[in-house]
Coordinates of all heavy atoms in Angstrom, one line a residue:
M1 N 1.9 -23.4 -32.6 CA 1.2 -23.1 -31.3 C 1.9 -23.9 -30.2 O 2.3 -23.3 -29.2 CB -0.2 -23.4 -31.4 CG -1.0 -23.3 -30.1 SD -2.6 -23.9 -30.1 CE -3.5 -22.5 -30.6
F2 N 2.0 -25.2 -30.3 CA 2.6 -26.0 -29.3 C 4.0 -26.5 -29.7 O 4.3 -26.6 -30.9 CB 1.8 -27.3 -29.0 CG 0.4 -26.9 -28.4 CD1 -0.7 -27.1 -29.2 CD2 0.3 -26.5 -27.1 CE1 -1.9 -26.8 -28.7 CE2 -1.0 -26.2 -26.6 CZ -2.1 -26.3 -27.4
T3 N 4.9 -26.7 -28.8 CA 6.2 -27.2 -29.1 C 6.2 -28.7 -28.7 O 5.5 -29.1 -27.8 CB 7.3 -26.4 -28.3 OG1 7.1 -26.5 -26.9 CG2 7.3 -25.0 -28.8
K4 N 7.1 -29.4 -29.3 CA 7.2 -30.8 -29.0 C 7.7 -31.0 -27.6 O 8.6 -30.4 -27.2 CB 8.2 -31.5 -30.0 CG 8.3 -33.0 -29.8 CD 9.2 -33.6 -30.9 CE 9.3 -35.1 -30.6 NZ 10.2 -35.7 -31.6
V5 N 7.1 -32.0 -26.9 CA 7.5 -32.3 -25.5 C 8.5 -33.4 -25.6 O 8.2 -34.5 -26.1 CB 6.3 -32.7 -24.7 CG1 6.7 -33.1 -23.3 CG2 5.3 -31.6 -24.7
D6 N 9.7 -33.1 -25.1 CA 10.7 -34.1 -25.0 C 10.6 -34.8 -23.7 O 10.4 -34.2 -22.7 CB 12.1 -33.5 -25.2 CG 12.4 -33.0 -26.6 OD1 11.8 -33.6 -27.5 OD2 13.1 -32.0 -26.7
G7 N 10.8 -36.1 -23.7 CA 10.7 -36.8 -22.4 C 11.0 -38.2 -22.6 O 11.5 -38.7 -23.6
P8 N 10.8 -39.0 -21.5 CA 11.1 -40.4 -21.6 C 10.2 -41.2 -22.6 O 9.1 -40.6 -23.0 CB 10.8 -40.9 -20.1 CG 9.9 -39.9 -19.6 CD 10.2 -38.6 -20.3
V9 N 10.6 -42.4 -22.9 CA 9.8 -43.2 -23.7 C 8.4 -43.5 -23.1 O 8.3 -43.6 -21.9 CB 10.5 -44.6 -23.9 CG1 9.7 -45.5 -24.8 CG2 11.9 -44.3 -24.6
R10 N 7.4 -43.6 -23.9 CA 6.1 -43.8 -23.4 C 6.0 -45.1 -22.6 O 6.7 -46.1 -23.0 CB 5.1 -43.8 -24.5 CG 4.9 -42.4 -25.2 CD 4.0 -42.5 -26.3 NE 2.7 -43.1 -25.9 CZ 1.7 -43.2 -26.6 NH1 1.7 -42.8 -27.8 NH2 0.6 -43.8 -26.1
L11 N 5.2 -45.2 -21.6 CA 5.0 -46.4 -20.8 C 4.6 -47.6 -21.6 O 5.2 -48.7 -21.5 CB 4.0 -46.1 -19.7 CG 4.4 -45.3 -18.5 CD1 3.3 -45.1 -17.5 CD2 5.6 -45.9 -17.8
A12 N 3.7 -47.4 -22.6 CA 3.3 -48.5 -23.4 C 4.4 -49.1 -24.2 O 4.6 -50.3 -24.4 CB 2.1 -48.1 -24.3
D13 N 5.3 -48.2 -24.7 CA 6.5 -48.6 -25.4 C 7.4 -49.4 -24.5 O 8.0 -50.5 -24.9 CB 7.3 -47.4 -26.0 CG 6.5 -46.7 -27.1 OD1 5.7 -47.4 -27.8 OD2 6.8 -45.5 -27.3
R14 N 7.6 -49.0 -23.3 CA 8.5 -49.7 -22.4 C 7.9 -51.0 -22.0 O 8.6 -52.0 -21.9 CB 8.7 -48.8 -21.1 CG 9.5 -47.6 -21.5 CD 9.6 -46.6 -20.3 NE 10.2 -47.2 -19.1 CZ 10.1 -46.6 -17.9 NH1 9.6 -45.4 -17.8 NH2 10.6 -47.2 -16.9
V15 N 6.6 -51.1 -21.8 CA 6.0 -52.4 -21.4 C 6.0 -53.3 -22.6 O 6.4 -54.5 -22.4 CB 4.5 -52.2 -20.9 CG1 3.8 -53.5 -20.8 CG2 4.5 -51.4 -19.6
A16 N 5.8 -52.8 -23.8 CA 5.8 -53.7 -25.0 C 7.3 -54.2 -25.2 O 7.4 -55.4 -25.5 CB 5.4 -52.9 -26.2
A17 N 8.2 -53.4 -25.0 CA 9.6 -53.8 -25.1 C 10.0 -54.8 -24.1 O 10.7 -55.8 -24.4 CB 10.6 -52.6 -25.0
M18 N 9.5 -54.7 -22.9 CA 9.8 -55.6 -21.8 C 9.2 -57.0 -22.2 O 9.8 -58.0 -22.0 CB 9.3 -55.1 -20.5 CG 9.6 -56.1 -19.3 SD 8.4 -55.9 -18.0 CE 6.9 -56.4 -18.7
L19 N 7.9 -57.0 -22.6 CA 7.2 -58.2 -23.0 C 7.9 -58.9 -24.2 O 8.0 -60.1 -24.2 CB 5.7 -58.0 -23.2 CG 4.9 -57.6 -21.9 CD1 3.5 -57.2 -22.3 CD2 4.9 -58.7 -20.9
A20 N 8.3 -58.1 -25.2 CA 8.9 -58.6 -26.4 C 10.2 -59.2 -26.0 O 10.6 -60.3 -26.5 CB 9.2 -57.5 -27.4
D21 N 11.0 -58.6 -25.0 CA 12.2 -59.2 -24.5 C 12.0 -60.6 -23.9 O 12.8 -61.5 -24.1 CB 12.9 -58.3 -23.6 CG 14.3 -58.8 -23.1 OD1 15.1 -59.1 -24.0 OD2 14.4 -59.0 -21.9
E22 N 10.9 -60.7 -23.2 CA 10.5 -62.0 -22.5 C 10.3 -63.0 -23.6 O 10.7 -64.2 -23.5 CB 9.3 -61.9 -21.7 CG 9.5 -61.0 -20.4 CD 10.4 -61.7 -19.4 OE1 10.2 -62.9 -19.1 OE2 11.3 -61.0 -18.9
I23 N 9.7 -62.6 -24.7 CA 9.4 -63.6 -25.8 C 10.7 -63.9 -26.6 O 11.0 -65.0 -26.8 CB 8.3 -63.0 -26.8 CG1 7.0 -62.9 -26.0 CG2 8.2 -63.8 -28.0 CD1 5.9 -62.1 -26.7
E24 N 11.5 -62.9 -26.9 CA 12.7 -63.0 -27.7 C 13.7 -63.9 -27.0 O 14.5 -64.6 -27.6 CB 13.3 -61.7 -28.1 CG 12.4 -60.9 -29.0 CD 12.3 -61.4 -30.4 OE1 13.2 -62.2 -30.9 OE2 11.2 -61.2 -31.0
S25 N 13.8 -63.7 -25.6 CA 14.8 -64.4 -24.8 C 14.4 -65.9 -24.6 O 15.2 -66.7 -24.2 CB 14.9 -63.7 -23.5 OG 13.8 -63.9 -22.7
G26 N 13.1 -66.2 -24.9 CA 12.7 -67.6 -24.7 C 12.0 -67.8 -23.4 O 11.6 -69.0 -23.1
R27 N 12.0 -66.8 -22.5 CA 11.3 -67.0 -21.2 C 9.8 -67.2 -21.4 O 9.1 -67.9 -20.6 CB 11.6 -65.8 -20.3 CG 13.0 -65.9 -19.8 CD 13.3 -64.8 -18.8 NE 13.3 -63.4 -19.3 CZ 14.3 -62.8 -19.8 NH1 15.5 -63.4 -19.9 NH2 14.2 -61.6 -20.3
L28 N 9.3 -66.6 -22.5 CA 7.9 -66.9 -22.9 C 8.0 -67.6 -24.3 O 8.7 -67.0 -25.2 CB 7.0 -65.6 -23.0 CG 6.6 -65.0 -21.7 CD1 6.0 -63.6 -22.0 CD2 5.7 -65.9 -21.0
T29 N 7.4 -68.7 -24.5 CA 7.6 -69.4 -25.7 C 6.3 -69.6 -26.4 O 5.2 -69.3 -25.9 CB 8.2 -70.8 -25.5 OG1 7.4 -71.6 -24.6 CG2 9.6 -70.7 -24.9
T30 N 6.3 -70.1 -27.6 CA 5.1 -70.3 -28.4 C 4.0 -71.1 -27.6 O 4.3 -72.1 -27.0 CB 5.5 -71.2 -29.7 OG1 6.4 -70.5 -30.4 CG2 4.2 -71.4 -30.5
G31 N 2.8 -70.5 -27.7 CA 1.7 -71.0 -27.0 C 1.5 -70.6 -25.5 O 0.5 -70.8 -24.9
D32 N 2.6 -70.0 -25.0 CA 2.5 -69.5 -23.6 C 1.4 -68.4 -23.5 O 1.3 -67.6 -24.4 CB 3.8 -68.9 -23.1 CG 4.8 -70.0 -22.7 OD1 4.4 -71.2 -22.6 OD2 5.9 -69.7 -22.4
K33 N 0.7 -68.4 -22.4 CA -0.3 -67.3 -22.2 C 0.3 -66.2 -21.3 O 1.0 -66.5 -20.3 CB -1.5 -67.9 -21.4 CG -2.6 -67.0 -21.2 CD -3.8 -67.7 -20.5 CE -4.8 -66.6 -20.1 NZ -5.9 -67.3 -19.3
L34 N 0.2 -65.0 -21.8 CA 0.7 -63.9 -21.0 C -0.2 -63.8 -19.7 O -1.3 -64.2 -19.7 CB 0.5 -62.6 -21.8 CG 1.7 -62.1 -22.6 CD1 2.2 -63.1 -23.6 CD2 1.4 -60.8 -23.2
P35 N 0.4 -63.2 -18.7 CA -0.5 -62.9 -17.5 C -1.7 -62.1 -17.9 O -1.6 -61.3 -18.9 CB 0.5 -62.1 -16.5 CG 1.8 -62.5 -17.0 CD 1.7 -62.7 -18.5
T36 N -2.7 -62.1 -17.1 CA -3.9 -61.4 -17.4 C -3.6 -59.9 -17.3 O -2.6 -59.5 -16.7 CB -5.1 -61.7 -16.4 OG1 -4.7 -61.3 -15.1 CG2 -5.4 -63.2 -16.5
E37 N -4.5 -59.1 -17.9 CA -4.4 -57.6 -17.8 C -4.3 -57.2 -16.4 O -3.5 -56.3 -16.1 CB -5.6 -57.0 -18.5 CG -5.6 -55.6 -18.8 CD -6.8 -55.1 -19.6 OE1 -6.7 -55.2 -20.8 OE2 -7.7 -54.7 -19.0
V38 N -5.2 -57.7 -15.5 CA -5.2 -57.3 -14.1 C -3.9 -57.7 -13.4 O -3.3 -56.9 -12.7 CB -6.4 -58.0 -13.4 CG1 -6.3 -57.7 -11.9 CG2 -7.7 -57.5 -14.0
E39 N -3.3 -58.9 -13.7 CA -2.0 -59.3 -13.1 C -0.9 -58.4 -13.6 O -0.1 -58.0 -12.8 CB -1.7 -60.7 -13.5 CG -2.6 -61.7 -12.8 CD -2.5 -63.1 -13.4 OE1 -2.0 -63.3 -14.5 OE2 -2.9 -64.1 -12.7
L40 N -0.9 -58.0 -14.9 CA 0.1 -57.1 -15.4 C 0.0 -55.7 -14.8 O 1.1 -55.1 -14.5 CB 0.1 -57.1 -16.9 CG 0.6 -58.3 -17.7 CD1 0.3 -58.2 -19.2 CD2 2.1 -58.5 -17.4
V41 N -1.2 -55.2 -14.6 CA -1.4 -53.9 -14.0 C -0.8 -53.9 -12.6 O 0.0 -53.0 -12.2 CB -2.9 -53.6 -13.9 CG1 -3.1 -52.4 -13.0 CG2 -3.4 -53.2 -15.3
K42 N -1.0 -55.0 -11.8 CA -0.5 -55.1 -10.5 C 1.0 -55.2 -10.5 O 1.7 -54.6 -9.7 CB -1.1 -56.3 -9.7 CG -2.6 -56.1 -9.3 CD -3.1 -57.3 -8.6 CE -4.6 -57.1 -8.3 NZ -5.1 -58.3 -7.7
Q43 N 1.5 -56.1 -11.3 CA 3.0 -56.4 -11.4 C 3.8 -55.2 -11.8 O 4.9 -54.9 -11.3 CB 3.3 -57.6 -12.3 CG 2.9 -58.9 -11.7 CD 3.1 -60.0 -12.7 OE1 4.0 -59.9 -13.6 NE2 2.5 -61.1 -12.5
L44 N 3.3 -54.4 -12.8 CA 4.0 -53.4 -13.4 C 3.7 -52.0 -12.9 O 4.4 -51.0 -13.2 CB 3.9 -53.4 -15.0 CG 4.3 -54.7 -15.6 CD1 4.0 -54.7 -17.1 CD2 5.8 -55.0 -15.4
G45 N 2.6 -51.9 -12.2 CA 2.2 -50.6 -11.7 C 1.8 -49.6 -12.7 O 2.1 -48.4 -12.6
V46 N 1.2 -50.0 -13.8 CA 0.7 -49.1 -14.9 C -0.8 -49.3 -15.1 O -1.4 -50.3 -14.5 CB 1.4 -49.4 -16.2 CG1 2.9 -49.1 -16.1 CG2 1.2 -50.8 -16.7
S47 N -1.4 -48.5 -15.9 CA -2.9 -48.6 -16.1 C -3.2 -49.7 -17.1 O -2.4 -50.2 -17.8 CB -3.4 -47.2 -16.6 OG -3.0 -47.0 -17.9
R48 N -4.5 -50.0 -17.1 CA -5.0 -51.0 -18.1 C -4.8 -50.5 -19.5 O -4.5 -51.3 -20.4 CB -6.5 -51.3 -17.8 CG -6.7 -52.0 -16.5 CD -8.1 -52.2 -16.2 NE -8.7 -53.2 -17.1 CZ -10.0 -53.5 -17.1 NH1 -10.8 -52.9 -16.3 NH2 -10.4 -54.4 -18.0
T49 N -4.9 -49.2 -19.7 CA -4.8 -48.6 -21.0 C -3.3 -48.9 -21.5 O -3.1 -49.2 -22.7 CB -5.1 -47.1 -21.0 OG1 -6.4 -47.0 -20.5 CG2 -4.9 -46.5 -22.3
V50 N -2.4 -48.7 -20.6 CA -1.0 -48.9 -21.0 C -0.8 -50.4 -21.4 O -0.1 -50.7 -22.4 CB 0.0 -48.5 -19.8 CG1 1.4 -49.0 -20.1 CG2 0.0 -47.0 -19.6
I51 N -1.3 -51.3 -20.6 CA -1.2 -52.7 -21.0 C -1.9 -53.0 -22.3 O -1.3 -53.7 -23.1 CB -1.8 -53.6 -19.8 CG1 -1.1 -53.4 -18.5 CG2 -1.9 -55.1 -20.3 CD1 0.3 -53.7 -18.5
R52 N -3.0 -52.5 -22.5 CA -3.7 -52.7 -23.8 C -2.9 -52.2 -25.0 O -2.9 -52.8 -26.0 CB -5.1 -52.1 -23.8 CG -6.1 -52.8 -22.9 CD -7.4 -52.1 -22.9 NE -8.3 -52.8 -21.9 CZ -9.2 -52.1 -21.2 NH1 -9.5 -50.9 -21.5 NH2 -10.0 -52.8 -20.3
E53 N -2.4 -51.0 -24.9 CA -1.6 -50.4 -25.9 C -0.3 -51.3 -26.2 O 0.0 -51.6 -27.3 CB -1.1 -49.0 -25.6 CG -2.2 -48.0 -25.7 CD -1.7 -46.6 -25.4 OE1 -0.5 -46.3 -25.8 OE2 -2.4 -45.8 -24.8
A54 N 0.3 -51.8 -25.1 CA 1.5 -52.6 -25.3 C 1.2 -53.9 -26.0 O 1.9 -54.3 -26.9 CB 2.1 -52.9 -23.9
V55 N 0.1 -54.6 -25.6 CA -0.3 -55.8 -26.2 C -0.7 -55.6 -27.6 O -0.4 -56.4 -28.5 CB -1.5 -56.5 -25.4 CG1 -2.1 -57.6 -26.1 CG2 -1.0 -56.9 -24.0
S56 N -1.3 -54.5 -27.9 CA -1.7 -54.1 -29.3 C -0.4 -54.0 -30.2 O -0.4 -54.5 -31.3 CB -2.5 -52.8 -29.4 OG -2.7 -52.4 -30.7
R57 N 0.6 -53.4 -29.6 CA 1.9 -53.3 -30.4 C 2.5 -54.6 -30.6 O 3.0 -54.9 -31.7 CB 2.8 -52.4 -29.6 CG 2.4 -50.9 -29.7 CD 3.4 -50.0 -29.1 NE 2.8 -48.6 -29.3 CZ 2.6 -47.8 -28.3 NH1 2.9 -48.1 -27.1 NH2 2.1 -46.6 -28.6
L58 N 2.4 -55.5 -29.6 CA 3.0 -56.9 -29.8 C 2.2 -57.6 -30.8 O 2.7 -58.4 -31.6 CB 3.0 -57.6 -28.4 CG 3.9 -57.0 -27.4 CD1 3.7 -57.8 -26.1 CD2 5.4 -57.1 -27.8
S59 N 0.9 -57.5 -30.8 CA 0.0 -58.1 -31.8 C 0.3 -57.7 -33.2 O 0.4 -58.5 -34.1 CB -1.4 -57.9 -31.4 OG -2.3 -58.5 -32.3
N60 N 0.5 -56.4 -33.3 CA 0.8 -55.8 -34.7 C 2.2 -56.3 -35.2 O 2.4 -56.4 -36.4 CB 0.8 -54.3 -34.6 CG -0.6 -53.7 -34.5 OD1 -1.6 -54.4 -34.9 ND2 -0.8 -52.5 -34.0
A61 N 3.1 -56.6 -34.2 CA 4.4 -57.0 -34.6 C 4.4 -58.5 -34.8 O 5.4 -59.1 -35.2 CB 5.4 -56.7 -33.5
G62 N 3.3 -59.2 -34.6 CA 3.2 -60.6 -34.9 C 3.7 -61.5 -33.8 O 4.0 -62.7 -34.0
L63 N 3.9 -60.9 -32.6 CA 4.5 -61.7 -31.5 C 3.4 -62.4 -30.6 O 3.7 -63.5 -30.1 CB 5.3 -60.8 -30.6 CG 6.5 -60.2 -31.2 CD1 7.2 -59.2 -30.2 CD2 7.5 -61.2 -31.6
V64 N 2.2 -61.8 -30.5 CA 1.2 -62.4 -29.7 C -0.2 -62.3 -30.5 O -0.3 -61.6 -31.4 CB 1.0 -61.7 -28.3 CG1 2.3 -61.8 -27.5 CG2 0.6 -60.3 -28.5
E65 N -1.1 -63.1 -29.9 CA -2.5 -63.1 -30.5 C -3.4 -63.1 -29.3 O -3.3 -63.9 -28.4 CB -2.7 -64.4 -31.3 CG -4.1 -64.5 -31.8 CD -4.3 -65.8 -32.6 OE1 -4.0 -66.9 -32.0 OE2 -4.8 -65.7 -33.7
A66 N -4.4 -62.2 -29.3 CA -5.4 -62.1 -28.3 C -6.6 -63.0 -28.7 O -7.0 -62.8 -29.9 CB -5.9 -60.7 -28.1
R67 N -7.0 -63.8 -27.9 CA -8.1 -64.7 -28.1 C -9.2 -64.4 -27.2 O -9.1 -64.5 -25.9 CB -7.7 -66.2 -28.0 CG -6.6 -66.6 -29.0 CD -6.2 -68.0 -28.8 NE -5.0 -68.3 -29.5 CZ -4.2 -69.2 -29.3 NH1 -4.4 -70.1 -28.3 NH2 -3.1 -69.4 -30.0
Q68 N -10.3 -63.9 -27.7 CA -11.4 -63.4 -26.9 C -11.9 -64.4 -25.8 O -12.2 -65.5 -26.2 CB -12.6 -62.9 -27.7 CG -13.7 -62.2 -26.9 CD -14.7 -61.6 -27.8 OE1 -14.7 -61.7 -29.1 NE2 -15.7 -61.0 -27.2
G69 N -11.9 -63.9 -24.6 CA -12.3 -64.8 -23.5 C -11.3 -65.8 -23.0 O -11.5 -66.5 -22.0
R70 N -10.2 -65.9 -23.7 CA -9.2 -66.9 -23.3 C -7.8 -66.3 -22.9 O -7.1 -66.9 -22.1 CB -8.9 -67.9 -24.5 CG -10.2 -68.7 -24.8 CD -10.0 -69.7 -25.8 NE -8.9 -70.7 -25.4 CZ -8.2 -71.3 -26.3 NH1 -8.3 -71.0 -27.6 NH2 -7.2 -72.1 -25.9
G71 N -7.5 -65.1 -23.4 CA -6.2 -64.5 -23.1 C -5.4 -64.1 -24.2 O -5.8 -64.2 -25.4
V72 N -4.1 -63.8 -24.0 CA -3.2 -63.4 -25.0 C -2.1 -64.4 -25.0 O -1.5 -64.7 -24.0 CB -2.6 -62.0 -24.7 CG1 -1.6 -61.6 -25.7 CG2 -3.7 -61.0 -24.6
F73 N -1.8 -65.0 -26.2 CA -0.9 -66.1 -26.4 C 0.3 -65.7 -27.3 O 0.1 -65.0 -28.3 CB -1.6 -67.3 -26.9 CG -2.7 -67.8 -26.0 CD1 -3.9 -67.3 -26.0 CD2 -2.3 -68.8 -25.1 CE1 -4.9 -67.8 -25.1 CE2 -3.3 -69.3 -24.2 CZ -4.6 -68.8 -24.2
V74 N 1.5 -66.3 -27.0 CA 2.7 -66.1 -27.8 C 2.5 -66.9 -29.1 O 2.2 -68.0 -29.1 CB 3.9 -66.5 -27.0 CG1 5.2 -66.3 -27.9 CG2 4.1 -65.7 -25.7
L75 N 2.8 -66.2 -30.2 CA 2.7 -66.9 -31.5 C 4.0 -67.5 -31.9 O 5.1 -67.1 -31.3 CB 2.3 -65.8 -32.6 CG 0.9 -65.3 -32.5 CD1 0.7 -64.2 -33.6 CD2 -0.1 -66.4 -32.8
P76 N 4.0 -68.5 -32.8 CA 5.3 -69.1 -33.2 C 6.2 -68.0 -33.9 O 5.7 -67.1 -34.5 CB 4.8 -70.1 -34.3 CG 3.4 -70.3 -34.1 CD 2.9 -69.0 -33.4
R77 N 7.5 -68.2 -33.7 CA 8.4 -67.2 -34.3 C 8.3 -67.4 -35.9 O 8.4 -68.5 -36.4 CB 9.8 -67.6 -33.8 CG 10.8 -66.5 -34.3 CD 12.2 -66.9 -33.7 NE 13.0 -65.7 -33.8 CZ 13.5 -65.1 -32.8 NH1 13.4 -65.5 -31.6 NH2 14.2 -64.0 -33.0
R78 N 8.3 -66.3 -36.5 CA 8.3 -66.3 -38.0 C 9.0 -65.1 -38.5 O 9.5 -64.3 -37.7 CB 6.8 -66.3 -38.5 CG 5.9 -65.3 -37.9 CD 4.5 -65.3 -38.5 NE 3.6 -65.9 -37.6 CZ 2.3 -65.5 -37.5 NH1 1.8 -64.7 -38.4 NH2 1.5 -66.1 -36.7
T79 N 9.2 -64.9 -39.7 CA 9.9 -63.8 -40.3 C 9.3 -62.5 -39.7 O 8.1 -62.3 -39.8 CB 9.9 -63.8 -41.8 OG1 10.4 -65.1 -42.2 CG2 10.7 -62.7 -42.4
R80 N 10.1 -61.7 -39.2 CA 9.6 -60.4 -38.7 C 9.1 -59.5 -39.7 O 9.7 -59.4 -40.8 CB 10.7 -59.7 -37.9 CG 11.2 -60.5 -36.7 CD 10.2 -60.4 -35.6 NE 10.7 -61.1 -34.5 CZ 9.9 -62.0 -33.9 NH1 8.7 -62.3 -34.3 NH2 10.4 -62.7 -32.9
P81 N 8.0 -58.8 -39.5 CA 7.5 -57.8 -40.4 C 8.5 -56.6 -40.6 O 9.3 -56.4 -39.7 CB 6.2 -57.3 -39.8 CG 6.2 -57.7 -38.4 CD 7.2 -58.9 -38.3
L82 N 8.4 -55.9 -41.6 CA 9.3 -54.8 -41.9 C 9.1 -53.8 -40.7 O 8.0 -53.4 -40.4 CB 8.9 -54.1 -43.2 CG 9.6 -52.9 -43.6 CD1 11.1 -53.2 -43.8 CD2 9.1 -52.3 -44.9
D83 N 10.3 -53.4 -40.2 CA 10.3 -52.4 -39.1 C 10.5 -51.0 -39.7 O 11.6 -50.7 -40.1 CB 11.4 -52.7 -38.1 CG 11.4 -51.8 -36.9 OD1 10.6 -50.9 -36.9 OD2 12.3 -51.9 -36.1
L84 N 9.5 -50.2 -39.8 CA 9.6 -48.9 -40.4 C 10.3 -47.9 -39.6 O 10.7 -46.9 -40.0 CB 8.2 -48.4 -40.8 CG 7.4 -49.3 -41.8 CD1 6.0 -48.7 -42.0 CD2 8.1 -49.4 -43.1
D85 N 10.5 -48.2 -38.3 CA 11.2 -47.3 -37.4 C 12.7 -47.6 -37.4 O 13.5 -46.8 -36.8 CB 10.7 -47.5 -36.0 CG 9.3 -47.0 -35.9 OD1 8.9 -46.1 -36.6 OD2 8.5 -47.5 -35.0
A86 N 13.1 -48.6 -38.1 CA 14.6 -48.9 -38.1 C 15.4 -47.9 -38.8 O 14.9 -47.2 -39.7 CB 14.8 -50.3 -38.8
D87 N 16.6 -47.7 -38.4 CA 17.5 -46.7 -39.0 C 18.2 -47.3 -40.2 O 19.4 -46.9 -40.5 CB 18.5 -46.2 -38.0 CG 17.9 -45.4 -36.9 OD1 16.8 -44.8 -37.2 OD2 18.4 -45.3 -35.8
T88 N 17.6 -48.1 -41.0 CA 18.2 -48.7 -42.2 C 17.5 -48.1 -43.4 O 16.3 -47.7 -43.4 CB 18.1 -50.2 -42.2 OG1 16.7 -50.6 -42.2 CG2 18.8 -50.8 -41.0
T89 N 18.2 -48.1 -44.5 CA 17.7 -47.6 -45.7 C 18.0 -48.6 -46.8 O 18.9 -49.4 -46.7 CB 18.3 -46.2 -46.2 OG1 19.7 -46.4 -46.3 CG2 17.9 -45.1 -45.2
D90 N 17.2 -48.5 -47.9 CA 17.4 -49.4 -49.0 C 18.7 -49.0 -49.8 O 18.8 -47.8 -50.2 CB 16.2 -49.4 -49.9 CG 16.2 -50.4 -51.0 OD1 17.2 -51.2 -51.1 OD2 15.3 -50.4 -51.8
S91 N 19.6 -49.9 -50.0 CA 20.8 -49.5 -50.7 C 20.7 -49.5 -52.2 O 21.6 -49.1 -52.9 CB 21.9 -50.5 -50.3 OG 21.6 -51.8 -50.7
T92 N 19.5 -49.9 -52.7 CA 19.3 -49.9 -54.2 C 18.7 -48.5 -54.5 O 17.5 -48.4 -54.6 CB 18.5 -51.0 -54.6 OG1 17.2 -51.0 -53.9 CG2 19.2 -52.4 -54.4
D93 N 19.5 -47.5 -54.6 CA 19.0 -46.2 -54.9 C 19.0 -45.9 -56.4 O 20.0 -46.1 -57.0 CB 19.9 -45.2 -54.1 CG 19.3 -43.8 -54.0 OD1 18.1 -43.7 -54.0 OD2 20.1 -42.8 -54.0
T94 N 17.8 -45.5 -56.9 CA 17.8 -45.3 -58.3 C 17.8 -43.8 -58.6 O 16.9 -43.1 -58.2 CB 16.5 -45.9 -58.9 OG1 15.4 -45.4 -58.2 CG2 16.5 -47.4 -58.9
K95 N 18.9 -43.3 -59.1 CA 19.0 -41.9 -59.4 C 19.1 -41.6 -60.8 O 19.6 -42.3 -61.6 CB 20.2 -41.3 -58.7 CG 20.0 -41.2 -57.2 CD 21.2 -40.5 -56.6 CE 21.0 -40.5 -55.1 NZ 22.0 -39.8 -54.4

């Protein structure tokens, strides 16, 4: 019925990538608090929903932790979880 819509990367993906880059580069370090949702909305010109989705992705990746009533904080660097979107395959193929 519908065809796939090709287009740019979703805003939440772009915001998550930008924030992840800030963390990976060391500009945001362990224990740093991310700007508030309202501040990010103003700075980036996106909706609160986009910010929430981006922070959720960072949380799922183990980069940040949301603390109710306190904010979102950068977690210590640890072994990265398995990236299922990576273009790598297991070389131990059993045929």
Side-chain angles (χ1 to χ4, degrees):
M1 175 190 268
F2 297 106
T3 59
K4 183 176 179 181
V5 177
D6 292 328
V9 177
R10 294 179 49 176
L11 285 176
D13 292 335
R14 291 172 57 193
V15 170
M18 183 205 62
L19 292 172
D21 183 56
E22 292 292 311
I23 294 168
E24 296 292 333
S25 70
R27 288 185 292 270
L28 289 171
T29 61
T30 301
D32 282 352
K33 182 179 174 184
L34 267 58
T36 67
E37 191 175 275
V38 172
E39 290 169 341
L40 287 171
V41 165
K42 287 180 185 177
Q43 289 177 19
L44 302 175
V46 297
S47 70
R48 292 175 71 185
T49 301
V50 169
I51 299 299
R52 288 180 187 149
E53 285 182 36
V55 169
S56 176
R57 290 188 177 122
L58 294 175
S59 180
N60 289 338
L63 296 174
V64 300
E65 175 183 54
R67 300 178 190 157
Q68 188 172 359
R70 296 186 58 212
V72 179
F73 295 85
V74 177
L75 290 174
R77 186 177 197 120
R78 46 180 111 148
T79 304
R80 297 284 178 231
L82 178 63
D83 183 2
L84 298 178
D85 293 331
D87 290 336
T88 59
T89 57
D90 187 3
S91 61
T92 57
D93 195 30
T94 55
K95 289 187 179 180

